[in-house]
Amino acid sequence: MTDFLETPLQFLKGVGPRKAADLKRAGLLTVEDLLYRLPFRYEDRSHMQPIATLRPGMRAAVLGEIKSANVALTRRRGFKIFHIVLGDQSGAVRCTWMNQAFLADILKPHLRLVVFGDVKLDSSGLHFLNPEYELVGPADMGPAEAEPYDKSGPEPEETVHTGRIVPFYEKTGTVTPNMQRRLVRQALDQLPAEIPDMLPADVRSRLSLVSRREALEASHFPPNEAAVNALNTFRTPPQRRLIFEEFFLFQIGHAWRRHATSAELKPFVPSVDDRIRASAAKVLPFKLTPGQRQAVKEIVDDMLKQQPMHRLLQGDVGAGKTIVALLAAIVAMENGLQVAFMAPTEILAAQHYSNIARLLSQSRFRVDLLTGSTPGLQKHTLLSHIERGTTNLIVGTHALVQEKVTFHKLGLVVIDEQHRFGVAQRAALRAKGLRPDVLLMTATPIPRTLALTDYSELDVSKIPDLPPGRKPVRTWVKPESRRDEIYQLIREQLDAGRQAYIIYPLVEESEKIDLKSATEMADHLQTEVFPAYRVALLHGRMKQDVKDRVMLSFATGQAQILVSTTVVEVGVDVPNATVMVVEHAERFGLSQLHQLRGRVGRGAHESHCILLYQAPWTDDARERLKAMADTTDGFAIAERDLQLRGPGDFFGTRQSGLPKLRTGDLVRDRDVMEDAHREARQLVDTGGLTPDLMTFVQSKWQEQFGLIEVG
Ligand code: ADP
Ligand code: MG
């Protein structure tokens, strides 16, 4: 059976080569393209208003008979006005179309007509000006006068543009909304009673999904009893069925890839016994929170499996992800396996290295640091240690797996603090023929719907709690003009022995200016505002050894104020710092602000985050800063950020993992994505993938969702 949906649009009745070319330019090639471009809104024109009840200012639909029609010339040469009088049993009303004299050939006396539009009042009474119109019933029906009309309007099949709940389409190129409406109607009329459906029957029945045909019909031409509100928010069962279908097909691709990679077994599978448990307990400097304990359990359970782990560890800023990763590392090392621990910046790598080295100082494991600035000779020695296996844990930047590093027995890779990183890095690992366990840790909480999209192939562990004793950071949103009060607050904190960050934005196009202002600010603060304290400056343009020295001076308390661009954004841990001032806070995204705020509130002392803004600010900026003041919950902030910025911009840069969608919306339809994710995984894991779905995944999936192959 050939699939009617694949029919090129030029084979639809009424579509000639010209129109087909227009449609093609608008991206509409097949019947399927047309039917899966859903209306973006719906308008209820089903209720026919008796003409006698029309009032000026109403937006109304009226059904009546054309009593008279004529074309009038205006004083402006060549400008014509077409008038009709439309009557129903209750009265009559004028309709006027400007400069559309051709209507005289279409709208002839005695025909039944529906008009829809705004009711106006002028010197000669009520009228519709340029209303939408549609003839009703066969043209040869004759005078309709004697026929009493049904209050509920004409049969829904009869009209397309009026007299029903009417779909509105986005205008694309030369394809007008009205033209699209007519075409869709035509395509639906020609659609066979049975069309193929890729959704398996048990999924359909479990989720009570309507048939594909019914869904297409009712999403374009809803029955008159449908709720217009629900339609406009895309919550009716037919619309949801189409959205589910799309999300399900997307998730099937991920589930299948996940399944396929899990068939590749690990070369080394760790095991755990009491000795290893005791060894892990020995390095623990504190009691784990319940969330951390649960995460460790999920991770270690994965490590004991034959298939490589591919897990995302989510937790708010400061939730304590590092120690969880370190415990996993100990399990690997106790099994004679090597661990690569990667961070996005050299500052962070150095920080992880010193923490981990300290925690493991009593153990027999050797920890090393390898970054781009490791001197050549030392690097050479390090590489040979890694190759021989004398290095047990190697900390480095993300380049670690891509460089010419040869491991002896790589068992676990921990990737800290970066979005989207895992996919490319895993591909690099596989290219080297390595199949270690991989644990990803994100820089900030990711809204669930994006986690299900961008990280769909991963398993997710979440640390929902924070270590005990954390005091929430107090957040202040202040205009820049109140700077003096802020300096006063900083002074009090410094006098009490604490430290402060002052952050400058660094936007690429004005990098030089911002760098200059950060540098000048540091000078100004040092000489004029805080002469009694030491002010340090850190920015991305500095050489690595300079950065390291600056960071060290702040971490050890030699410098009390750190003026910095956003290089301290992720991960940096200086518990004695209690003030975070963000200059030009209106320029930052929510997740970024949350990250910055996460640099304070890490110790026992109460902390402050001051968001300084410069007027004028946009509504969005106001919303963002308000959200920051309202909550410190990173997951709530991430959801808000997604709503404000949309999925494409959430991560700051456009993500390759986000699908191109035709019916669904990642923000609006997030609950549908949850269902789709669950059902797709279950189907694939239980071996229920149908031949149809298999073919789709292998030959169409990538193209349909516009995804770049990475892994
Ligand atoms: P993040 O999840 O942001 O990477 P870190 O791993 O850097 O957080 O941990 C933040 C701070 O909390 C560190 O100083 C760490 O030592 C401390 N910490 C982590 N877990 C606990 C715990 N269970 N009890 C007390 N302090 C903890
Ligand atoms: Mg961290």
Side-chain angles (χ1 to χ4, degrees):
M1 182 178 66
T2 57
D3 186 350
F4 177 77
L5 288 166
E6 287 167 17
T7 310
L9 285 170
Q10 75 224 37
F11 296 124
L12 273 193
K13 272 179 241 145
V15 181
R18 267 264 294 287
K19 203 183 262 179
D22 284 347
L23 291 165
K24 189 172 171 184
R25 243 173 280 123
L28 302 173
L29 289 163
T30 63
V31 171
E32 176 170 332
D33 295 337
L34 181 71
L35 293 185
Y36 278 83
R37 183 170 289 180
L38 295 186
F40 74 102
R41 89 185 160 84
Y42 302 80
E43 198 165 278
D44 189 356
R45 299 177 175 182
S46 62
H47 179 74
M48 292 298 154
Q49 188 109 14
I51 289 173
T53 65
L54 295 178
R55 296 288 173 268
M58 274 181 175
R59 207 166 155 69
V62 162
L63 168 68
E65 187 205 330
I66 301 174
K67 301 291 183 187
S68 65
N70 66 80
V71 176
L73 281 170
T74 58
R75 256 170 280 166
R76 241 173 75 196
R77 257 173 58 123
F79 197 78
K80 290 172 183 168
I81 299 180
F82 177 64
H83 290 290
I84 63 164
V85 173
L86 190 68
D88 69 6
Q89 290 175 314
S90 71
V93 65
R94 262 181 326 123
C95 306
T96 314
W97 286 270
M98 311 303 275
N99 225 9
Q100 297 187 45
F102 66 91
L103 287 177
D105 296 329
I106 302 167
L107 306 183
K108 298 197 162 157
H110 306 306
L111 294 179
R112 290 173 76 224
L113 181 73
V114 175
V115 298
F116 176 84
D118 296 320
V119 181
K120 311 249 187 229
L121 181 68
D122 67 11
S123 53
S124 45
L126 288 179
H127 71 136
F128 283 98
L129 179 63
N130 296 325
E132 301 212 33
Y133 62 90
E134 190 167 13
L135 288 167
V136 183
D140 61 356
M141 215 167 75
E145 193 158 50
E147 242 179 300
Y149 70 81
D150 177 358
K151 265 287 219 39
S152 70
E155 286 296 303
E157 283 76 22
E158 289 181 2
T159 59
V160 176
H161 308 306
T162 54
R164 56 171 358 280
I165 296 178
V166 177
F168 282 81
Y169 302 90
E170 215 79 72
K171 182 173 174 357
T172 27
T174 47
V175 182
T176 64
N178 277 16
M179 183 168 144
Q180 216 180 120
R181 214 179 274 146
R182 261 193 316 271
L183 272 178
V184 168
R185 184 62 267 163
Q186 228 170 309
L188 287 169
D189 288 342
Q190 292 176 46
L191 205 58
E194 294 288 334
I195 53 172
D197 189 345
M198 287 216 269
L199 294 185
D202 64 320
V203 172
R204 258 181 300 167
S205 75
R206 186 165 42 248
L207 300 179
S208 319
L209 301 176
V210 302
S211 81
R212 189 174 179 212
R213 196 185 191 299
E214 191 186 337
L216 286 169
E217 172 71 41
S219 295
H220 289 282
F221 292 100
N224 281 349
E225 63 275 13
V228 177
N229 265 345
L231 282 165
N232 279 324
T233 47
F234 290 77
R235 303 205 73 81
T236 66
Q239 292 166 311
R240 303 231 113 193
R241 134 90 211 203
L242 295 180
I243 295 165
F244 177 84
E245 179 184 319
E246 176 165 53
F247 286 180
F248 180 80
L249 291 175
F250 172 66
Q251 292 290 351
I252 278 285
H254 279 301
W256 183 77
R257 290 210 318 200
R258 182 178 111 100
H259 191 75
T261 49
S262 75
E264 302 168 354
L265 301 183
K266 295 191 282 209
F268 327 106
V269 180
S271 61
V272 171
D273 57 21
D274 285 344
R275 185 184 58 81
I276 294 177
R277 280 190 201 95
S279 153
K282 226 169 53 197
V283 306
L284 257 188
F286 34 62
K287 206 164 153 274
L288 292 182
T289 64
Q292 284 173 318
R293 228 180 346 228
Q294 176 65 23
V296 170
K297 183 183 178 312
E298 287 167 6
I299 291 164
V300 173
D301 282 351
D302 276 0
M303 293 173 73
L304 305 183
K305 289 183 189 146
Q306 305 256 298
Q307 296 84 12
M309 163 167 77
H310 198 202
R311 187 171 281 275
L312 173 70
L313 177 59
Q314 281 228 66
D316 205 346
V317 176
K321 295 183 283 290
T322 320
I323 191 75
V324 171
L326 185 62
L327 292 173
I330 289 171
V331 171
M333 291 189 291
E334 286 288 356
N335 279 274
L337 303 177
Q338 286 174 301
V339 178
F341 203 116
M342 298 191 282
T345 64
E346 300 207 350
I347 292 179
L348 274 183
Q351 183 184 289
H352 277 317
Y353 171 72
S354 73
N355 281 337
I356 292 171
R358 185 167 34 82
L359 288 166
L360 295 182
S361 60
Q362 301 303 315
S363 75
R364 60 194 163 88
F365 301 121
R366 177 186 169 129
V367 183
D368 284 311
L369 175 66
L370 178 66
T371 69
S373 54
T374 307
L377 193 61
Q378 201 182 330
K379 189 167 177 176
H380 186 75
T381 323
L382 261 179
L383 287 175
S384 82
H385 277 300
I386 297 170
E387 186 161 3
R388 274 181 292 138
T390 36
T391 291
N392 303 101
L393 194 160
I394 180 79
V395 183
T397 50
H398 287 162
L400 199 56
V401 293
Q402 282 161 331
E403 277 186 24
K404 295 197 182 344
V405 183
T406 314
F407 291 90
H408 177 61
K409 257 179 138 185
L410 181 64
L412 172 68
V413 174
V414 178
I415 301 166
D416 192 24
E417 307 279 12
Q418 199 166 47
H419 296 303
R420 280 300 303 162
F421 171 71
V423 186
Q425 251 52 30
R426 196 172 72 145
L429 288 168
R430 287 170 68 197
K432 285 182 163 190
L434 298 171
R435 286 190 300 282
D437 287 319
V438 174
L439 179 65
L440 298 168
M441 303 196 285
T442 58
T444 36
I446 299 171
R448 177 141 177 83
T449 172
L450 288 192
L452 287 180
T453 308
D454 214 12
Y455 293 92
S456 177
E457 286 161 53
L458 278 64
D459 295 303
V460 179
S461 290
K462 190 167 162 178
I463 305 177
D465 42 19
L466 291 178
R470 290 275 166 82
K471 296 205 181 80
V473 177
R474 300 184 61 178
T475 302
W476 323 74
V477 178
K478 297 271 180 187
E480 207 244 345
S481 55
R482 307 272 292 273
R483 187 175 292 283
D484 287 346
E485 291 166 43
I486 307 310
Y487 290 160
Q488 188 48 40
L489 179 119
I490 294 177
R491 198 166 289 116
E492 284 163 18
Q493 291 289 312
L494 299 185
D495 288 345
R498 306 284 84 76
Q499 290 165 279
Y501 294 97
I502 302 179
I503 304 296
Y504 277 84
L506 193 61
V507 221
E508 255 164 62
E509 54 268 33
S510 60
E511 198 175 348
K512 285 214 184 81
I513 303 167
D514 289 315
L515 219 55
K516 184 160 161 273
S517 56
T519 313
E520 282 172 2
M521 197 61 179
D523 285 346
H524 166 72
L525 290 172
Q526 179 67 85
T527 53
E528 280 148 67
V529 191
F530 301 107
Y533 294 102
R534 218 182 115 198
V535 179
L537 173 68
L538 182 73
H539 60 72
R541 288 281 188 88
M542 288 172 160
K543 285 232 172 65
Q544 189 54 42
D545 56 333
V546 181
K547 276 194 223 167
D548 289 346
R549 239 181 297 130
V550 172
M551 211 47 231
L552 189 69
S553 74
F554 188 67
T556 53
Q558 285 163 283
Q560 289 80 35
I561 297 177
L562 184 65
V563 175
S564 172
T565 55
T566 46
V567 286
V568 299
E569 186 185 322
V570 291
V572 169
D573 189 29
V574 179
N576 190 48
T578 55
V579 185
M580 166 60 67
V581 179
V582 182
E583 298 268 359
H584 281 291
E586 79 280 356
R587 293 202 209 158
F588 289 85
L590 257 183
S591 296
Q592 223 182 353
L593 289 172
H594 181 66
Q595 259 297 337
L596 288 169
R597 180 165 62 186
R599 297 311 104 217
V600 296
R602 303 175 83 85
H605 305 282
E606 176 162 76
S607 294
H608 308 266
C609 173
I610 299 114
L611 305 173
L612 285 181
Y613 64 86
Q614 216 165 58
W617 55 355
T618 61
D619 288 350
D620 267 11
R622 185 194 309 264
E623 278 281 308
R624 283 199 298 274
L625 299 189
K626 185 175 176 310
M628 284 295 293
D630 287 349
T631 177
T632 53
D633 175 349
F635 285 96
I637 285 174
E639 293 289 346
R640 195 84 195 88
D641 201 17
L642 175 61
Q643 279 169 9
L644 286 173
R645 288 205 276 181
D649 291 327
F650 175 81
F651 295 108
T653 49
R654 172 111 203 118
Q655 295 295 299
S656 57
L658 295 181
K660 193 175 82 201
L661 296 170
R662 29 184 213 186
T663 60
D665 179 301
L666 291 176
V667 177
R668 183 191 67 202
D669 308 316
R670 32 206 268 219
D671 50 332
V672 183
M673 190 60 96
E674 304 239 348
D675 288 346
H677 177 78
R678 189 191 60 240
E679 293 291 338
R681 269 203 179 184
Q682 190 181 327
L683 190 77
V684 171
D685 290 347
T686 55
L689 209 57
T690 59
D692 271 2
L693 285 171
M694 195 66 195
T695 309
F696 175 79
V697 165
Q698 288 177 334
S699 61
K700 289 212 195 127
W701 187 78
Q702 228 171 286
E703 192 200 331
Q704 169 152 351
F705 294 107
L707 296 169
I708 307 154
E709 184 60 61
V710 275

